[in-house]
């Protein structure tokens, strides 16, 4: 009865109620989005790389190296010598070394030059290995393995021949028309930047930069990766797995002081934490702003209810004479406020879910953020619970006002 | 005053004194008994305490001293929640105007009264009966109260006040917004209903033309004349 009365009463004040509802809806949406992005971004970042002990690249900053090697964001300032890769592969402490060569793109997707070791050792999430949805790793110079999103976006299937362009823009003027690659494998989705990568061999990277005359010689023997024409002389970065975790710091120091090449080794976990710390302050600011927006719309709700009290004096007198106690009047105001808050929260939940469903692809391709559109979690429940609690507290003022009003209402 | 224990009185006032906060004037009703089934015409000039008396009888106001008893119950000394419940069940009230919640339908307005009285059964049938007796079309039940004419609203207010079959009906100047014809029609159905339900009616008005409908005629001034005694 109380609820149907509150609904009817709210309907009779449509305009002010809808405006209040909108303001609350917007603020709850902002709060939910900020909280959701925060959690999802952290999870998404942390699952990108797993079980890699050191990342070695040319000296720059550790964040820069982490961003371009793991997240495929930005570009390398410099490359490291191929000889350094050989040295790392033969180093007694190193169990495996995965080379990475970046700098090219295919329809806006980054091209990653690497070796067979990538498919054997690279791990993401909770120590999961890369798996193939179909096909197998590339062989020879012109084989390529594409990520799940690449295959989906460009409608590629096994055996398709694709052309890889120089540079990293979505539109490239200088296309390597003469060096077609054949898709030998498509990877299963990982929810990491791997999905957005086109993997080729290191020799393949070299081949696509060759002048046409030399390229035709390579094309004559496409399976010969030892061809001196396609022998790489540098790579962008190397990911290392060590035989013993205890050797990590010793090897890091050794590589940072390496005489024959300028190298920098970073611990992915430490770099990740630094990246996260940087995001943390931004996040907290966003959080504070969204909470303030919520508080201000709750004040708006409270104002709306207080303002309605004057026109409802007679209504309250009628309810009182029908036998409604002052506590019933109090509950009526609280019910109205909670109804508005619940509708705003449900609306915001639907709206934010829809927005993330639509923006998912764009966030992933532009920011490397893999955000799930599923908002239903304990954290969301907690946030909405907080919103309702805050509503209850801000409604106490108009509700007590109505209560006092009810106690003194007369014929 | 020796009769104060007599259960047959619908309303009994005993040394009731009421003073509004921040005001010097005080209202004093030393002794008044209304027997059950009586129809009282209560009149008096503005400011004489008519509305104060109705507020005291409905339990919205609590006297500073003295006791208001309804149906033998010491009404004014009940705790607030019990008093509210008691009012819902035993006392019907019709105001001068603005009786109905405008955004609710007629039937919802009537259901509200039943709800606060703790009446869980469906009231639709009895509401339909009351509407017929009040000469109102049945179709009115599901229309919004705000779309009714003033005369119709006043009749619906009576239906709502009587839905819980209260022993006492308090009516405050219900005809002031009606023209002469509507007023007479209203009075006839009101008296007929009270007679058929044996409801004690206390009717407040300054329109002396209405006194013909009533068995007793009481001046509020006269009630207070005995004020000097207390």
């Amino acid at each position: 009865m109380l609820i149907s009365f509150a609904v009817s009463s709210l309907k009779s004040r449509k305009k002010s109620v809808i405006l209040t509802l909108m303001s609350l809806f917007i603020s709850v949406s902002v709060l939910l989005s900020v909280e959701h992005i925060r959690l999802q971004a952290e999870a998404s970042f942390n699952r990108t790389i797993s079980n890699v002990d050191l990342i070695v690249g040319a000296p720059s900053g550790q964040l820069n190296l982490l961003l371009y090697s793991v997240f495929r964001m930005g570009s390398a300032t410099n490359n490291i010598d191929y000889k350094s890769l050989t040295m790392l592969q033969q180093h007694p402490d190193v169990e495996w070394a995965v080379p990475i060569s970046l700098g090219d793109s295919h329809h806006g997707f980054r091209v990653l030059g690497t070796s067979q070791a990538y498919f054997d050792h690279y791990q993401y999430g909770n120590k999961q290995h890369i798996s193939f949805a179909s096909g197998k790793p590339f062989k020879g110079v012109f084989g390529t393995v594409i990520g799940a999103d690449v295959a989906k976006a460009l409608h590629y299937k096994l055996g398709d021949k694709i052309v890889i362009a120089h540079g990293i823009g979505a539109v490239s003027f200088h296309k390597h028309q003469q060096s077609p690659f054949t898709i030998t494998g498509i990877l299963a989705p990982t929810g990491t930047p791997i999905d957005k990568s086109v993997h080729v061999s290191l020799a393949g990277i070299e081949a696509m930069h060759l002048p046409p005359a030399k390229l035709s010689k390579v094309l004559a023997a496409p399976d010969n990766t030892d061809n001196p024409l396609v022998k790489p002389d540098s790579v962008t970065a190397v990911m290392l797995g060590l035989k013993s975790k205890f050797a990590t710091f010793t090897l890091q120091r050794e590589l940072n002081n390496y005489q024959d090449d300028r190298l920098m080794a970073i611990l992915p976990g430490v770099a990740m934490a630094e990246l996260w710390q940087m995001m943390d302050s931004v996040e907290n600011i966003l959080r504070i702003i969204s909470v303030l927006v919520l508080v201000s719309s709750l004040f708006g709700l409270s104002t709306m209810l207080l303002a309605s009290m004057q026109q409802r004096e007679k209504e309250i007198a009628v309810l009182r004479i029908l036998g409604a106690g002052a506590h019933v009047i109090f509950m009526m105001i609280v019910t109205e406020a909670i109804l508005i808050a619940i509708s705003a929260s449900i609306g915001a939940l639907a709206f934010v879910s829809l927005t993330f469903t639509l923006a998912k692809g764009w966030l992933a391709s532009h920011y490397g953020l893999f955000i799930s559109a599923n908002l239903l979690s304990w954290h969301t429940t907690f946030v909405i619970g907080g919103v309702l609690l805050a509503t209850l507290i801000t409604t106490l003022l108009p509700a007590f006002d109505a209560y006092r009003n009810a106690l003194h209402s007369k014929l | 005053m020796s009769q104060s224990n007599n259960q047959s009185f619908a309303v009994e006032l005993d040394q009731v004194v009421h003073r509004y906060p921040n005001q010097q004037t005080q209202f004093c009703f030393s002794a008044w008994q209304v027997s059950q089934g009586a129809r009282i015409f209560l009149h008096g000039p503005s400011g004489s305490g008519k509305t104060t008396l109705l507020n005291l009888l409905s339990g919205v106001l609590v006297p500073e001293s003295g006791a208001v008893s309804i149906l033998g119950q010491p009404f004014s000394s009940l705790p607030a929640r019990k008093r509210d419940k008691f009012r819902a069940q035993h006392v019907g009230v019709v105001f001068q105007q603005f009786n109905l919640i405008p955004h609710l339908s007629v039937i919802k307005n009537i259901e509200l009264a039943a709800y606060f009285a703790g009446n869980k059964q469906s009231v639709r049938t009895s509401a339909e009966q009351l509407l017929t007796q009040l000469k109102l079309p049945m179709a009115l039940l599901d229309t919004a109260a705000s779309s009714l004419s003033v005369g119709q609203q006043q009749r619906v207010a009576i239906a709502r006040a009587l839905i819980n079959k209260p022993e006492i009906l308090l009516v405050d100047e219900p005809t002031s917004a009606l023209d002469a014809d509507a007023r007479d029609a209203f009075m006839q159905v009101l008296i007929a209903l009270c007679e058929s339900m044996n409801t004690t009616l206390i009717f407040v008005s300054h329109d002396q033309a209405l006194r013909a409908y009533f068995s007793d005629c009481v001046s509020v001034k006269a009630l207070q004349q005995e004020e000097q005694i207390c």
Side-chain angles (χ1 to χ4, degrees):
Chain A
M1 197 67 176
L2 210 56
I3 289 175
S4 79
F5 187 88
V7 170
S8 164
S9 169
L10 288 175
K11 273 188 193 158
S12 73
R13 287 174 285 135
K14 240 176 243 152
K15 283 176 202 156
S16 60
V17 168
I18 286 178
L19 284 179
T20 314
L21 190 70
M22 282 308 288
S23 108
L24 206 56
F25 163 76
I26 291 170
S27 57
V28 176
S29 297
V30 170
L31 187 65
L32 278 179
S33 318
V34 167
E35 286 297 297
H36 187 61
I37 290 184
R38 191 177 69 87
L39 289 179
Q40 288 283 307
E42 189 166 2
S44 157
F45 271 48
N46 287 337
R47 72 192 304 274
T48 307
I49 190 168
S50 169
N51 222 16
V52 171
D53 295 316
L54 283 173
I55 300 175
V56 185
S60 57
Q62 70 167 349
L63 282 184
N64 189 30
L65 177 53
L66 180 81
L67 284 176
Y68 70 69
S69 64
V70 176
F71 294 101
R72 324 264 200 268
M73 281 157 111
S75 10
T77 45
N78 219 332
N79 276 5
I80 61 174
D81 222 0
Y82 192 79
K83 270 180 264 168
S84 304
L85 171 65
T86 321
M87 177 276 287
L88 288 167
Q89 279 165 335
Q90 288 159 0
H91 196 282
D93 288 341
V94 173
E95 195 185 342
W96 51 263
V98 174
I100 287 174
S101 201
L102 294 160
D104 295 285
S105 82
H106 176 71
H107 291 286
F109 292 107
R110 293 289 180 102
V111 172
L112 181 109
T114 186
S115 70
Q116 173 64 38
Y118 183 86
F119 303 106
D120 295 339
H121 300 295
Y122 192 90
Q123 287 170 40
Y124 68 96
N126 192 15
K127 297 190 178 173
Q128 288 159 275
H129 283 275
I130 300 170
S131 64
F132 280 81
S134 60
K136 52 187 191 312
F138 46 71
K139 247 194 264 165
V141 181
F142 295 104
T144 175
V145 169
I146 57 175
D149 287 356
V150 183
K152 208 171 143 192
L154 302 174
H155 307 292
Y156 285 161
K157 52 190 188 304
L158 283 183
D160 281 358
K161 286 193 186 305
I162 63 171
V163 166
I164 291 171
H166 182 62
I168 53 175
V171 177
S172 177
F173 295 107
H174 184 128
K175 286 207 171 159
H176 302 229
Q177 291 291 6
Q178 299 86 352
S179 50
F181 284 76
T182 309
I183 298 171
T184 64
I186 295 171
L187 298 174
T190 62
T192 74
I194 297 170
D195 294 354
K196 307 244 164 225
S197 300
V198 174
H199 308 88
V200 300
S201 65
L202 291 174
I205 294 270
E206 294 302 317
M208 65 176 129
H209 294 101
L210 285 176
K214 289 181 179 171
L215 183 64
S216 52
K217 284 183 196 162
V218 180
L219 278 166
D223 287 337
N224 182 10
T225 48
D226 294 331
N227 191 328
L229 282 172
V230 293
K231 199 158 173 49
D233 50 7
S234 70
V235 292
T236 311
V238 184
M239 295 189 181
L240 297 180
L242 303 187
K243 283 175 183 150
S244 157
K245 305 277 178 208
F246 298 111
T248 311
F249 291 102
T250 329
L251 184 61
Q252 184 188 24
R253 205 173 317 117
E254 186 189 324
L255 292 176
N256 286 343
N257 295 324
Y258 188 61
Q259 294 300 318
D260 294 346
D261 193 4
R262 292 170 306 133
L263 297 180
M264 179 179 74
I266 61 163
L267 293 121
V270 174
M272 211 80 113
E274 190 184 317
L275 184 68
W276 204 243
Q277 238 169 27
M278 218 169 67
M279 310 276 286
D280 220 31
S281 55
V282 178
E283 240 171 44
N284 279 336
I285 290 170
L286 280 176
R287 226 172 164 184
I288 290 169
I289 291 174
S290 51
V291 167
L292 287 177
V293 170
L294 176 72
V295 168
S296 86
S297 23
L298 285 176
F299 282 152
L301 173 72
S302 176
T303 310
M304 186 273 283
L305 290 172
L306 269 178
S308 76
M309 220 50 77
Q310 272 174 338
Q311 69 186 73
R312 297 169 78 186
E313 241 170 52
K314 284 176 177 167
E315 189 177 308
I316 289 173
V318 170
L319 288 171
R320 283 287 286 146
I321 211 75
L322 289 179
H327 64 284
V328 175
I329 309 294
F330 180 90
M331 283 310 293
M332 193 179 82
I333 304 296
V334 171
T335 309
E336 284 184 10
I338 292 291
L339 276 178
I340 293 181
I342 287 178
S343 341
S345 300
I346 292 174
L349 201 60
F351 174 74
V352 174
S353 299
L354 186 72
T355 309
F356 278 123
T357 312
L358 296 177
K360 218 165 143 183
W362 183 78
L363 281 173
S365 63
H366 282 71
Y367 297 102
L369 285 176
F370 291 83
I371 307 273
S372 130
N374 182 11
L375 254 76
L376 301 173
S377 65
W378 276 113
H379 191 78
T380 307
T381 319
F382 177 74
V383 170
I384 289 182
V387 169
L388 294 184
L389 188 70
T391 309
L392 198 65
I393 292 169
T394 38
T395 314
L396 288 182
L397 180 67
F400 271 121
D401 199 63
Y403 182 85
R404 265 214 327 269
N405 212 327
L407 277 185
H408 299 130
S409 84
K410 288 180 286 285
L411 294 175
Chain B
M1 235 144 297
S2 56
Q3 297 153 310
S4 63
N5 290 328
N6 195 327
Q7 296 285 307
S8 69
F9 288 125
V11 171
E12 189 171 8
L13 299 186
D14 183 18
Q15 311 285 358
V16 170
V17 177
H18 185 263
R19 196 194 338 236
Y20 287 102
N22 314 323
Q23 274 176 25
Q24 283 306 308
T25 43
Q26 88 176 14
F27 296 99
C28 192
F29 308 96
S30 58
W32 187 39
Q33 289 98 11
V34 178
S35 45
Q36 275 178 36
R39 267 169 285 288
I40 310 282
F41 181 73
L42 201 61
H43 63 94
S46 318
S48 60
K50 286 177 297 187
T51 307
T52 306
L53 183 56
L54 279 192
N55 278 318
L56 286 167
L57 292 179
S58 64
V60 171
L61 282 182
V62 179
E64 210 171 75
S65 66
V68 178
S69 298
I70 304 272
L71 304 167
Q73 274 264 1
F75 190 42
S76 54
S77 54
L78 284 176
R81 282 198 188 196
K82 281 198 177 159
R83 199 166 58 237
D84 289 333
K85 191 85 176 177
F86 190 84
R87 169 170 62 247
Q89 286 168 342
H90 302 287
V91 183
V93 181
V94 177
F95 299 128
Q96 200 166 346
Q97 47 181 291
F98 197 88
N99 273 292
L100 306 179
I101 308 284
H103 55 79
L104 291 179
S105 66
V106 168
I107 184 70
K108 284 265 180 208
N109 263 286
I110 296 175
E111 278 173 355
L112 210 54
Y115 169 76
F116 286 123
N119 186 352
K120 298 273 192 306
Q121 296 144 354
S122 165
V123 295
R124 204 175 175 101
T125 344
S126 34
E128 279 171 357
Q129 273 169 13
L130 278 169
L131 246 56
T132 329
Q133 282 173 288
L134 288 161
K135 303 202 170 72
L136 285 172
M138 215 67 78
L140 235 51
L141 271 184
D142 293 302
T143 47
S146 54
S147 62
L148 266 57
S149 75
V150 183
Q152 284 174 327
Q153 285 193 28
Q154 293 303 78
R155 288 182 196 205
V156 171
I158 289 181
R160 188 185 60 187
L162 292 176
I163 193 71
N164 299 315
K165 301 193 172 56
E167 287 83 351
I168 296 162
L169 182 62
L170 305 175
V171 185
D172 186 15
E173 307 250 18
T175 55
S176 60
L178 302 179
D179 58 45
D181 286 345
R183 186 192 67 191
D184 288 335
F186 177 86
M187 286 312 295
Q188 273 159 14
V189 291
L190 176 65
I191 298 294
L193 260 178
C194 286
E195 267 171 4
S196 71
M197 295 173 84
N198 194 30
T199 309
T200 309
L201 173 66
I202 296 179
F203 187 100
V204 170
S205 179
H206 59 255
D207 189 351
Q208 297 285 342
L210 298 175
R211 61 195 300 171
Y213 292 100
F214 297 89
S215 59
D216 290 289
C217 179
V218 177
S219 156
V220 181
K221 268 273 188 283
L223 275 181
Q224 292 193 76
Q225 229 108 68
E226 299 154 51
E227 160 186 1
Q228 276 69 30
I229 305 163
C230 66

